[in-house]
Amino acid sequence: MTAPITLSLAHLTVLDADPLTLIEAAASGQFDAIGLRIVPPMPTDQIVPVIGDARLIRAIEQRLDSTGIRILDVEAVWLMPHTDVAALKPAIELGARLGAQHLLVVGNDSDTARQRDNFAALCDLADGFGLGIVLELMSYVELRTLAQARALLDAVRRPNAKLLIDALHFYRSGAHASDLAALDPGLFPYIHLCDAYAAAPDAAGLRTEGRSGRFYPGEGELPLGEFLRAFPSGITVAVEAPCAEYAGLSPIERGRICGAATRALLSGVHGPSPRPSH
């Protein structure tokens, strides 16, 4: 019998959920883990502040213990011209305290030398706390292709720096599953899974699609079977699928539906596997 795949619920899937509700949404969907947003990607983004809130941090720890959910990653650091790596230390410290394995990073600086230096410094800072870095290519930022991401990883050569492939952004970049065949599977600690229309929106619509126009796995038109088979069969799957169709439902109900859809898709691709127990 194939071992069950570890499933994580990314915060963007239920972005309106506060951290405690996010954990409950993950438990409702029988996920094993969550991706917790503790750093606003853009200065204008609004998140529930966690860093420095001792009461909330203790409540998160207690809710994790009571549900059996763990934290796969904390997010999302966007490397931009104004990025101050040293100022991110509290976020990294908190991620380590909460047991996160990874810090999610996006490259959005047109100055490639500055982006390289900031990325290297961030890798070193995270390594001091035992955190891995996952670099995610995204269709509407500066670092948007597999080639760009590989070039940055090759430039910094940090052992804790890995690559995160999101199904939507991967296909919107023009890549194909076959492009992954020559890469070391060890580069990918986990993947982001979602679904979408086969046809991409125009360039101006990519951000809207990425933030609210996705579908739950198996409910769209992306070739997710070939995508999943390009990775090791037991790879951890984080579902990042903000879907406007379900926006009227509570985060708990969205977590339940998303988890069921994801397990149905994975069962069709990899065969049946035991459901996680919580």
PDB file of all heavy atoms in Angstrom, residues 158-197:
ATOM      1  N   ARG A 158      23.482  27.846  -1.469  1.00  0.00           N
ATOM      2  CA  ARG A 158      23.269  27.620  -0.040  1.00  0.00           C
ATOM      3  C   ARG A 158      22.561  26.275   0.136  1.00  0.00           C
ATOM      4  O   ARG A 158      21.557  26.013  -0.534  1.00  0.00           O
ATOM      5  CB  ARG A 158      22.435  28.740   0.581  1.00  0.00           C
ATOM      6  CG  ARG A 158      23.088  30.114   0.586  1.00  0.00           C
ATOM      7  CD  ARG A 158      24.441  30.117   1.285  1.00  0.00           C
ATOM      8  NE  ARG A 158      24.906  31.451   1.629  1.00  0.00           N
ATOM      9  CZ  ARG A 158      25.636  32.231   0.841  1.00  0.00           C
ATOM     10  NH1 ARG A 158      25.985  31.819  -0.379  1.00  0.00           N
ATOM     11  NH2 ARG A 158      26.043  33.426   1.263  1.00  0.00           N
ATOM     12  N   PRO A 159      23.043  25.428   1.041  1.00  0.00           N
ATOM     13  CA  PRO A 159      22.454  24.088   1.168  1.00  0.00           C
ATOM     14  C   PRO A 159      21.012  24.082   1.642  1.00  0.00           C
ATOM     15  O   PRO A 159      20.292  23.103   1.390  1.00  0.00           O
ATOM     16  CB  PRO A 159      23.372  23.394   2.185  1.00  0.00           C
ATOM     17  CG  PRO A 159      24.072  24.493   2.899  1.00  0.00           C
ATOM     18  CD  PRO A 159      24.209  25.604   1.927  1.00  0.00           C
ATOM     19  N   ASN A 160      20.571  25.137   2.314  1.00  0.00           N
ATOM     20  CA  ASN A 160      19.186  25.162   2.782  1.00  0.00           C
ATOM     21  C   ASN A 160      18.246  25.841   1.794  1.00  0.00           C
ATOM     22  O   ASN A 160      17.057  26.034   2.087  1.00  0.00           O
ATOM     23  CB  ASN A 160      19.083  25.847   4.152  1.00  0.00           C
ATOM     24  CG  ASN A 160      19.454  27.328   4.105  1.00  0.00           C
ATOM     25  OD1 ASN A 160      20.294  27.742   3.307  1.00  0.00           O
ATOM     26  ND2 ASN A 160      18.868  28.121   4.993  1.00  0.00           N
ATOM     27  N   ALA A 161      18.726  26.196   0.602  1.00  0.00           N
ATOM     28  CA  ALA A 161      17.903  26.851  -0.413  1.00  0.00           C
ATOM     29  C   ALA A 161      17.367  25.821  -1.392  1.00  0.00           C
ATOM     30  O   ALA A 161      18.144  25.109  -2.050  1.00  0.00           O
ATOM     31  CB  ALA A 161      18.712  27.912  -1.157  1.00  0.00           C
ATOM     32  N   LYS A 162      16.042  25.742  -1.475  1.00  0.00           N
ATOM     33  CA  LYS A 162      15.380  24.789  -2.361  1.00  0.00           C
ATOM     34  C   LYS A 162      14.403  25.540  -3.273  1.00  0.00           C
ATOM     35  O   LYS A 162      14.297  26.762  -3.227  1.00  0.00           O
ATOM     36  CB  LYS A 162      14.643  23.721  -1.556  1.00  0.00           C
ATOM     37  CG  LYS A 162      15.512  22.972  -0.540  1.00  0.00           C
ATOM     38  CD  LYS A 162      16.596  22.138  -1.196  1.00  0.00           C
ATOM     39  CE  LYS A 162      17.398  21.362  -0.149  1.00  0.00           C
ATOM     40  NZ  LYS A 162      18.491  20.568  -0.764  1.00  0.00           N
ATOM     41  N   LEU A 163      13.683  24.772  -4.072  1.00  0.00           N
ATOM     42  CA  LEU A 163      12.801  25.345  -5.079  1.00  0.00           C
ATOM     43  C   LEU A 163      11.367  24.893  -4.833  1.00  0.00           C
ATOM     44  O   LEU A 163      11.122  23.717  -4.569  1.00  0.00           O
ATOM     45  CB  LEU A 163      13.264  24.901  -6.469  1.00  0.00           C
ATOM     46  CG  LEU A 163      12.595  25.501  -7.698  1.00  0.00           C
ATOM     47  CD1 LEU A 163      12.723  27.018  -7.701  1.00  0.00           C
ATOM     48  CD2 LEU A 163      13.237  24.932  -8.965  1.00  0.00           C
ATOM     49  N   LEU A 164      10.449  25.829  -4.890  1.00  0.00           N
ATOM     50  CA  LEU A 164       9.028  25.522  -4.749  1.00  0.00           C
ATOM     51  C   LEU A 164       8.328  25.763  -6.082  1.00  0.00           C
ATOM     52  O   LEU A 164       8.363  26.871  -6.613  1.00  0.00           O
ATOM     53  CB  LEU A 164       8.399  26.396  -3.655  1.00  0.00           C
ATOM     54  CG  LEU A 164       6.891  26.255  -3.472  1.00  0.00           C
ATOM     55  CD1 LEU A 164       6.496  24.826  -3.124  1.00  0.00           C
ATOM     56  CD2 LEU A 164       6.387  27.232  -2.410  1.00  0.00           C
ATOM     57  N   ILE A 165       7.697  24.711  -6.574  1.00  0.00           N
ATOM     58  CA  ILE A 165       6.971  24.800  -7.841  1.00  0.00           C
ATOM     59  C   ILE A 165       5.477  24.823  -7.542  1.00  0.00           C
ATOM     60  O   ILE A 165       4.938  23.919  -6.902  1.00  0.00           O
ATOM     61  CB  ILE A 165       7.294  23.605  -8.759  1.00  0.00           C
ATOM     62  CG1 ILE A 165       8.796  23.532  -9.047  1.00  0.00           C
ATOM     63  CG2 ILE A 165       6.499  23.715 -10.061  1.00  0.00           C
ATOM     64  CD1 ILE A 165       9.352  24.695  -9.826  1.00  0.00           C
ATOM     65  N   ASP A 166       4.813  25.870  -8.004  1.00  0.00           N
ATOM     66  CA  ASP A 166       3.368  26.017  -7.896  1.00  0.00           C
ATOM     67  C   ASP A 166       2.766  25.665  -9.254  1.00  0.00           C
ATOM     68  O   ASP A 166       3.190  26.187 -10.283  1.00  0.00           O
ATOM     69  CB  ASP A 166       3.036  27.461  -7.500  1.00  0.00           C
ATOM     70  CG  ASP A 166       1.556  27.735  -7.390  1.00  0.00           C
ATOM     71  OD1 ASP A 166       0.852  27.655  -8.425  1.00  0.00           O
ATOM     72  OD2 ASP A 166       1.085  28.048  -6.288  1.00  0.00           O
ATOM     73  N   ALA A 167       1.776  24.783  -9.263  1.00  0.00           N
ATOM     74  CA  ALA A 167       1.226  24.292 -10.533  1.00  0.00           C
ATOM     75  C   ALA A 167       0.742  25.432 -11.419  1.00  0.00           C
ATOM     76  O   ALA A 167       1.007  25.449 -12.632  1.00  0.00           O
ATOM     77  CB  ALA A 167       0.088  23.312 -10.261  1.00  0.00           C
ATOM     78  N   LEU A 168       0.043  26.405 -10.836  1.00  0.00           N
ATOM     79  CA  LEU A 168      -0.474  27.509 -11.643  1.00  0.00           C
ATOM     80  C   LEU A 168       0.655  28.330 -12.234  1.00  0.00           C
ATOM     81  O   LEU A 168       0.719  28.547 -13.456  1.00  0.00           O
ATOM     82  CB  LEU A 168      -1.376  28.404 -10.798  1.00  0.00           C
ATOM     83  CG  LEU A 168      -1.904  29.642 -11.534  1.00  0.00           C
ATOM     84  CD1 LEU A 168      -2.907  29.252 -12.607  1.00  0.00           C
ATOM     85  CD2 LEU A 168      -2.525  30.641 -10.555  1.00  0.00           C
ATOM     86  N   HIS A 169       1.554  28.801 -11.400  1.00  0.00           N
ATOM     87  CA  HIS A 169       2.628  29.664 -11.893  1.00  0.00           C
ATOM     88  C   HIS A 169       3.554  28.915 -12.840  1.00  0.00           C
ATOM     89  O   HIS A 169       4.106  29.511 -13.781  1.00  0.00           O
ATOM     90  CB  HIS A 169       3.413  30.237 -10.714  1.00  0.00           C
ATOM     91  CG  HIS A 169       2.590  31.115  -9.823  1.00  0.00           C
ATOM     92  ND1 HIS A 169       1.887  32.192 -10.293  1.00  0.00           N
ATOM     93  CD2 HIS A 169       2.360  31.066  -8.481  1.00  0.00           C
ATOM     94  CE1 HIS A 169       1.260  32.783  -9.286  1.00  0.00           C
ATOM     95  NE2 HIS A 169       1.529  32.119  -8.185  1.00  0.00           N
ATOM     96  N   PHE A 170       3.742  27.634 -12.592  1.00  0.00           N
ATOM     97  CA  PHE A 170       4.589  26.815 -13.461  1.00  0.00           C
ATOM     98  C   PHE A 170       4.037  26.798 -14.885  1.00  0.00           C
ATOM     99  O   PHE A 170       4.752  27.104 -15.852  1.00  0.00           O
ATOM    100  CB  PHE A 170       4.667  25.400 -12.894  1.00  0.00           C
ATOM    101  CG  PHE A 170       5.520  24.449 -13.675  1.00  0.00           C
ATOM    102  CD1 PHE A 170       6.903  24.539 -13.640  1.00  0.00           C
ATOM    103  CD2 PHE A 170       4.945  23.441 -14.440  1.00  0.00           C
ATOM    104  CE1 PHE A 170       7.695  23.649 -14.345  1.00  0.00           C
ATOM    105  CE2 PHE A 170       5.730  22.546 -15.145  1.00  0.00           C
ATOM    106  CZ  PHE A 170       7.112  22.657 -15.103  1.00  0.00           C
ATOM    107  N   TYR A 171       2.764  26.490 -15.014  1.00  0.00           N
ATOM    108  CA  TYR A 171       2.185  26.429 -16.357  1.00  0.00           C
ATOM    109  C   TYR A 171       2.006  27.816 -16.969  1.00  0.00           C
ATOM    110  O   TYR A 171       2.162  27.984 -18.187  1.00  0.00           O
ATOM    111  CB  TYR A 171       0.863  25.660 -16.328  1.00  0.00           C
ATOM    112  CG  TYR A 171       1.073  24.161 -16.235  1.00  0.00           C
ATOM    113  CD1 TYR A 171       0.723  23.456 -15.095  1.00  0.00           C
ATOM    114  CD2 TYR A 171       1.662  23.462 -17.296  1.00  0.00           C
ATOM    115  CE1 TYR A 171       0.932  22.089 -15.004  1.00  0.00           C
ATOM    116  CE2 TYR A 171       1.885  22.101 -17.213  1.00  0.00           C
ATOM    117  CZ  TYR A 171       1.519  21.414 -16.069  1.00  0.00           C
ATOM    118  OH  TYR A 171       1.748  20.056 -15.988  1.00  0.00           O
ATOM    119  N   ARG A 172       1.732  28.806 -16.156  1.00  0.00           N
ATOM    120  CA  ARG A 172       1.591  30.159 -16.707  1.00  0.00           C
ATOM    121  C   ARG A 172       2.934  30.715 -17.181  1.00  0.00           C
ATOM    122  O   ARG A 172       2.969  31.644 -17.995  1.00  0.00           O
ATOM    123  CB  ARG A 172       0.977  31.103 -15.664  1.00  0.00           C
ATOM    124  CG  ARG A 172      -0.473  30.766 -15.293  1.00  0.00           C
ATOM    125  CD  ARG A 172      -1.386  30.796 -16.501  1.00  0.00           C
ATOM    126  NE  ARG A 172      -2.790  30.599 -16.133  1.00  0.00           N
ATOM    127  CZ  ARG A 172      -3.527  29.580 -16.535  1.00  0.00           C
ATOM    128  NH1 ARG A 172      -3.001  28.635 -17.326  1.00  0.00           N
ATOM    129  NH2 ARG A 172      -4.793  29.490 -16.179  1.00  0.00           N
ATOM    130  N   SER A 173       4.033  30.154 -16.690  1.00  0.00           N
ATOM    131  CA  SER A 173       5.349  30.588 -17.162  1.00  0.00           C
ATOM    132  C   SER A 173       5.706  29.985 -18.514  1.00  0.00           C
ATOM    133  O   SER A 173       6.740  30.327 -19.092  1.00  0.00           O
ATOM    134  CB  SER A 173       6.430  30.197 -16.139  1.00  0.00           C
ATOM    135  OG  SER A 173       6.701  28.809 -16.186  1.00  0.00           O
ATOM    136  N   GLY A 174       4.857  29.083 -19.011  1.00  0.00           N
ATOM    137  CA  GLY A 174       5.127  28.419 -20.279  1.00  0.00           C
ATOM    138  C   GLY A 174       5.896  27.123 -20.136  1.00  0.00           C
ATOM    139  O   GLY A 174       6.291  26.518 -21.137  1.00  0.00           O
ATOM    140  N   ALA A 175       6.121  26.665 -18.902  1.00  0.00           N
ATOM    141  CA  ALA A 175       6.884  25.441 -18.662  1.00  0.00           C
ATOM    142  C   ALA A 175       6.014  24.203 -18.882  1.00  0.00           C
ATOM    143  O   ALA A 175       4.784  24.278 -18.947  1.00  0.00           O
ATOM    144  CB  ALA A 175       7.444  25.442 -17.251  1.00  0.00           C
ATOM    145  N   HIS A 176       6.685  23.073 -18.985  1.00  0.00           N
ATOM    146  CA  HIS A 176       6.028  21.784 -19.139  1.00  0.00           C
ATOM    147  C   HIS A 176       6.618  20.809 -18.126  1.00  0.00           C
ATOM    148  O   HIS A 176       7.758  20.983 -17.675  1.00  0.00           O
ATOM    149  CB  HIS A 176       6.224  21.244 -20.558  1.00  0.00           C
ATOM    150  CG  HIS A 176       5.706  22.165 -21.631  1.00  0.00           C
ATOM    151  ND1 HIS A 176       4.377  22.222 -21.994  1.00  0.00           N
ATOM    152  CD2 HIS A 176       6.352  23.092 -22.396  1.00  0.00           C
ATOM    153  CE1 HIS A 176       4.224  23.133 -22.947  1.00  0.00           C
ATOM    154  NE2 HIS A 176       5.404  23.678 -23.203  1.00  0.00           N
ATOM    155  N   ALA A 177       5.844  19.793 -17.794  1.00  0.00           N
ATOM    156  CA  ALA A 177       6.312  18.820 -16.803  1.00  0.00           C
ATOM    157  C   ALA A 177       7.642  18.204 -17.197  1.00  0.00           C
ATOM    158  O   ALA A 177       8.478  17.902 -16.339  1.00  0.00           O
ATOM    159  CB  ALA A 177       5.252  17.740 -16.603  1.00  0.00           C
ATOM    160  N   SER A 178       7.862  18.041 -18.475  1.00  0.00           N
ATOM    161  CA  SER A 178       9.115  17.438 -18.948  1.00  0.00           C
ATOM    162  C   SER A 178      10.327  18.303 -18.593  1.00  0.00           C
ATOM    163  O   SER A 178      11.456  17.796 -18.524  1.00  0.00           O
ATOM    164  CB  SER A 178       9.056  17.217 -20.457  1.00  0.00           C
ATOM    165  OG  SER A 178       8.826  18.446 -21.140  1.00  0.00           O
ATOM    166  N   ASP A 179      10.106  19.600 -18.341  1.00  0.00           N
ATOM    167  CA  ASP A 179      11.218  20.485 -17.987  1.00  0.00           C
ATOM    168  C   ASP A 179      11.812  20.142 -16.629  1.00  0.00           C
ATOM    169  O   ASP A 179      12.926  20.562 -16.300  1.00  0.00           O
ATOM    170  CB  ASP A 179      10.745  21.946 -17.956  1.00  0.00           C
ATOM    171  CG  ASP A 179      10.278  22.441 -19.321  1.00  0.00           C
ATOM    172  OD1 ASP A 179      10.772  21.916 -20.340  1.00  0.00           O
ATOM    173  OD2 ASP A 179       9.419  23.336 -19.361  1.00  0.00           O
ATOM    174  N   LEU A 180      11.076  19.376 -15.831  1.00  0.00           N
ATOM    175  CA  LEU A 180      11.541  19.015 -14.493  1.00  0.00           C
ATOM    176  C   LEU A 180      12.383  17.751 -14.477  1.00  0.00           C
ATOM    177  O   LEU A 180      13.042  17.448 -13.476  1.00  0.00           O
ATOM    178  CB  LEU A 180      10.344  18.834 -13.557  1.00  0.00           C
ATOM    179  CG  LEU A 180       9.445  20.062 -13.381  1.00  0.00           C
ATOM    180  CD1 LEU A 180       8.162  19.680 -12.660  1.00  0.00           C
ATOM    181  CD2 LEU A 180      10.177  21.151 -12.624  1.00  0.00           C
ATOM    182  N   ALA A 181      12.381  17.015 -15.583  1.00  0.00           N
ATOM    183  CA  ALA A 181      12.995  15.687 -15.592  1.00  0.00           C
ATOM    184  C   ALA A 181      14.491  15.738 -15.313  1.00  0.00           C
ATOM    185  O   ALA A 181      15.042  14.826 -14.683  1.00  0.00           O
ATOM    186  CB  ALA A 181      12.725  14.999 -16.928  1.00  0.00           C
ATOM    187  N   ALA A 182      15.166  16.773 -15.771  1.00  0.00           N
ATOM    188  CA  ALA A 182      16.622  16.842 -15.624  1.00  0.00           C
ATOM    189  C   ALA A 182      17.060  17.398 -14.274  1.00  0.00           C
ATOM    190  O   ALA A 182      18.265  17.459 -13.998  1.00  0.00           O
ATOM    191  CB  ALA A 182      17.211  17.696 -16.744  1.00  0.00           C
ATOM    192  N   LEU A 183      16.108  17.791 -13.436  1.00  0.00           N
ATOM    193  CA  LEU A 183      16.450  18.429 -12.164  1.00  0.00           C
ATOM    194  C   LEU A 183      16.530  17.399 -11.030  1.00  0.00           C
ATOM    195  O   LEU A 183      15.818  16.394 -11.033  1.00  0.00           O
ATOM    196  CB  LEU A 183      15.421  19.500 -11.812  1.00  0.00           C
ATOM    197  CG  LEU A 183      15.271  20.632 -12.828  1.00  0.00           C
ATOM    198  CD1 LEU A 183      14.239  21.637 -12.345  1.00  0.00           C
ATOM    199  CD2 LEU A 183      16.604  21.330 -13.076  1.00  0.00           C
ATOM    200  N   ASP A 184      17.387  17.673 -10.078  1.00  0.00           N
ATOM    201  CA  ASP A 184      17.547  16.806  -8.917  1.00  0.00           C
ATOM    202  C   ASP A 184      16.265  16.832  -8.096  1.00  0.00           C
ATOM    203  O   ASP A 184      15.821  17.900  -7.655  1.00  0.00           O
ATOM    204  CB  ASP A 184      18.720  17.313  -8.079  1.00  0.00           C
ATOM    205  CG  ASP A 184      18.938  16.522  -6.797  1.00  0.00           C
ATOM    206  OD1 ASP A 184      18.236  15.515  -6.578  1.00  0.00           O
ATOM    207  OD2 ASP A 184      19.829  16.918  -6.018  1.00  0.00           O
ATOM    208  N   PRO A 185      15.618  15.681  -7.864  1.00  0.00           N
ATOM    209  CA  PRO A 185      14.390  15.666  -7.059  1.00  0.00           C
ATOM    210  C   PRO A 185      14.589  16.254  -5.668  1.00  0.00           C
ATOM    211  O   PRO A 185      13.637  16.720  -5.047  1.00  0.00           O
ATOM    212  CB  PRO A 185      14.028  14.181  -6.981  1.00  0.00           C
ATOM    213  CG  PRO A 185      14.711  13.548  -8.153  1.00  0.00           C
ATOM    214  CD  PRO A 185      15.970  14.340  -8.359  1.00  0.00           C
ATOM    215  N   GLY A 186      15.818  16.245  -5.172  1.00  0.00           N
ATOM    216  CA  GLY A 186      16.100  16.815  -3.865  1.00  0.00           C
ATOM    217  C   GLY A 186      15.923  18.320  -3.800  1.00  0.00           C
ATOM    218  O   GLY A 186      15.938  18.906  -2.711  1.00  0.00           O
ATOM    219  N   LEU A 187      15.772  18.966  -4.960  1.00  0.00           N
ATOM    220  CA  LEU A 187      15.522  20.409  -4.988  1.00  0.00           C
ATOM    221  C   LEU A 187      14.126  20.761  -4.486  1.00  0.00           C
ATOM    222  O   LEU A 187      13.854  21.914  -4.166  1.00  0.00           O
ATOM    223  CB  LEU A 187      15.668  20.950  -6.411  1.00  0.00           C
ATOM    224  CG  LEU A 187      17.043  21.392  -6.898  1.00  0.00           C
ATOM    225  CD1 LEU A 187      16.967  21.819  -8.351  1.00  0.00           C
ATOM    226  CD2 LEU A 187      17.587  22.529  -6.037  1.00  0.00           C
ATOM    227  N   PHE A 188      13.223  19.778  -4.444  1.00  0.00           N
ATOM    228  CA  PHE A 188      11.813  20.061  -4.198  1.00  0.00           C
ATOM    229  C   PHE A 188      11.353  19.434  -2.884  1.00  0.00           C
ATOM    230  O   PHE A 188      10.980  18.266  -2.842  1.00  0.00           O
ATOM    231  CB  PHE A 188      10.958  19.515  -5.347  1.00  0.00           C
ATOM    232  CG  PHE A 188      11.453  19.896  -6.705  1.00  0.00           C
ATOM    233  CD1 PHE A 188      11.989  18.943  -7.560  1.00  0.00           C
ATOM    234  CD2 PHE A 188      11.404  21.203  -7.144  1.00  0.00           C
ATOM    235  CE1 PHE A 188      12.445  19.281  -8.821  1.00  0.00           C
ATOM    236  CE2 PHE A 188      11.862  21.562  -8.400  1.00  0.00           C
ATOM    237  CZ  PHE A 188      12.390  20.594  -9.249  1.00  0.00           C
ATOM    238  N   PRO A 189      11.343  20.189  -1.789  1.00  0.00           N
ATOM    239  CA  PRO A 189      10.856  19.614  -0.535  1.00  0.00           C
ATOM    240  C   PRO A 189       9.340  19.427  -0.520  1.00  0.00           C
ATOM    241  O   PRO A 189       8.827  18.555   0.167  1.00  0.00           O
ATOM    242  CB  PRO A 189      11.303  20.634   0.514  1.00  0.00           C
ATOM    243  CG  PRO A 189      11.446  21.918  -0.232  1.00  0.00           C
ATOM    244  CD  PRO A 189      11.879  21.548  -1.616  1.00  0.00           C
ATOM    245  N   TYR A 190       8.632  20.268  -1.259  1.00  0.00           N
ATOM    246  CA  TYR A 190       7.181  20.126  -1.410  1.00  0.00           C
ATOM    247  C   TYR A 190       6.752  20.935  -2.619  1.00  0.00           C
ATOM    248  O   TYR A 190       7.571  21.639  -3.232  1.00  0.00           O
ATOM    249  CB  TYR A 190       6.426  20.567  -0.147  1.00  0.00           C
ATOM    250  CG  TYR A 190       6.576  22.023   0.249  1.00  0.00           C
ATOM    251  CD1 TYR A 190       5.572  22.951  -0.010  1.00  0.00           C
ATOM    252  CD2 TYR A 190       7.706  22.476   0.932  1.00  0.00           C
ATOM    253  CE1 TYR A 190       5.692  24.276   0.386  1.00  0.00           C
ATOM    254  CE2 TYR A 190       7.834  23.803   1.334  1.00  0.00           C
ATOM    255  CZ  TYR A 190       6.826  24.695   1.053  1.00  0.00           C
ATOM    256  OH  TYR A 190       6.960  26.010   1.443  1.00  0.00           O
ATOM    257  N   ILE A 191       5.493  20.811  -2.988  1.00  0.00           N
ATOM    258  CA  ILE A 191       4.960  21.543  -4.139  1.00  0.00           C
ATOM    259  C   ILE A 191       3.673  22.254  -3.738  1.00  0.00           C
ATOM    260  O   ILE A 191       3.044  21.928  -2.732  1.00  0.00           O
ATOM    261  CB  ILE A 191       4.673  20.610  -5.340  1.00  0.00           C
ATOM    262  CG1 ILE A 191       3.695  19.491  -4.938  1.00  0.00           C
ATOM    263  CG2 ILE A 191       5.961  20.042  -5.900  1.00  0.00           C
ATOM    264  CD1 ILE A 191       3.262  18.618  -6.094  1.00  0.00           C
ATOM    265  N   HIS A 192       3.287  23.241  -4.543  1.00  0.00           N
ATOM    266  CA  HIS A 192       1.995  23.897  -4.403  1.00  0.00           C
ATOM    267  C   HIS A 192       1.058  23.347  -5.471  1.00  0.00           C
ATOM    268  O   HIS A 192       1.401  23.344  -6.661  1.00  0.00           O
ATOM    269  CB  HIS A 192       2.130  25.408  -4.602  1.00  0.00           C
ATOM    270  CG  HIS A 192       2.372  26.164  -3.343  1.00  0.00           C
ATOM    271  ND1 HIS A 192       2.654  27.517  -3.338  1.00  0.00           N
ATOM    272  CD2 HIS A 192       2.359  25.788  -2.044  1.00  0.00           C
ATOM    273  CE1 HIS A 192       2.811  27.929  -2.090  1.00  0.00           C
ATOM    274  NE2 HIS A 192       2.654  26.882  -1.288  1.00  0.00           N
ATOM    275  N   LEU A 193      -0.111  22.931  -5.044  1.00  0.00           N
ATOM    276  CA  LEU A 193      -1.080  22.336  -5.963  1.00  0.00           C
ATOM    277  C   LEU A 193      -2.351  23.173  -5.985  1.00  0.00           C
ATOM    278  O   LEU A 193      -2.834  23.635  -4.944  1.00  0.00           O
ATOM    279  CB  LEU A 193      -1.400  20.908  -5.523  1.00  0.00           C
ATOM    280  CG  LEU A 193      -2.193  20.041  -6.503  1.00  0.00           C
ATOM    281  CD1 LEU A 193      -1.388  19.805  -7.782  1.00  0.00           C
ATOM    282  CD2 LEU A 193      -2.579  18.716  -5.851  1.00  0.00           C
ATOM    283  N   CYS A 194      -2.888  23.348  -7.181  1.00  0.00           N
ATOM    284  CA  CYS A 194      -4.179  23.985  -7.379  1.00  0.00           C
ATOM    285  C   CYS A 194      -4.630  23.621  -8.779  1.00  0.00           C
ATOM    286  O   CYS A 194      -3.963  22.848  -9.480  1.00  0.00           O
ATOM    287  CB  CYS A 194      -4.083  25.508  -7.236  1.00  0.00           C
ATOM    288  SG  CYS A 194      -3.115  26.286  -8.563  1.00  0.00           S
ATOM    289  N   ASP A 195      -5.743  24.166  -9.203  1.00  0.00           N
ATOM    290  CA  ASP A 195      -6.204  23.951 -10.574  1.00  0.00           C
ATOM    291  C   ASP A 195      -6.615  25.305 -11.142  1.00  0.00           C
ATOM    292  O   ASP A 195      -6.696  26.308 -10.411  1.00  0.00           O
ATOM    293  CB  ASP A 195      -7.368  22.959 -10.596  1.00  0.00           C
ATOM    294  CG  ASP A 195      -7.320  22.027 -11.806  1.00  0.00           C
ATOM    295  OD1 ASP A 195      -6.812  22.456 -12.873  1.00  0.00           O
ATOM    296  OD2 ASP A 195      -7.781  20.881 -11.691  1.00  0.00           O
ATOM    297  N   ALA A 196      -6.854  25.336 -12.460  1.00  0.00           N
ATOM    298  CA  ALA A 196      -7.206  26.586 -13.125  1.00  0.00           C
ATOM    299  C   ALA A 196      -7.714  26.258 -14.517  1.00  0.00           C
ATOM    300  O   ALA A 196      -7.677  25.101 -14.952  1.00  0.00           O
ATOM    301  CB  ALA A 196      -5.991  27.519 -13.214  1.00  0.00           C
ATOM    302  N   TYR A 197      -8.168  27.271 -15.214  1.00  0.00           N
ATOM    303  CA  TYR A 197      -8.485  27.097 -16.626  1.00  0.00           C
ATOM    304  C   TYR A 197      -7.202  26.781 -17.393  1.00  0.00           C
ATOM    305  O   TYR A 197      -6.113  27.224 -17.012  1.00  0.00           O
ATOM    306  CB  TYR A 197      -9.119  28.361 -17.209  1.00  0.00           C
ATOM    307  CG  TYR A 197     -10.518  28.645 -16.709  1.00  0.00           C
ATOM    308  CD1 TYR A 197     -10.788  29.790 -15.970  1.00  0.00           C
ATOM    309  CD2 TYR A 197     -11.568  27.771 -16.988  1.00  0.00           C
ATOM    310  CE1 TYR A 197     -12.070  30.063 -15.506  1.00  0.00           C
ATOM    311  CE2 TYR A 197     -12.855  28.029 -16.535  1.00  0.00           C
ATOM    312  CZ  TYR A 197     -13.097  29.175 -15.785  1.00  0.00           C
ATOM    313  OH  TYR A 197     -14.362  29.435 -15.327  1.00  0.00           O
TER     314      TYR A 197
END
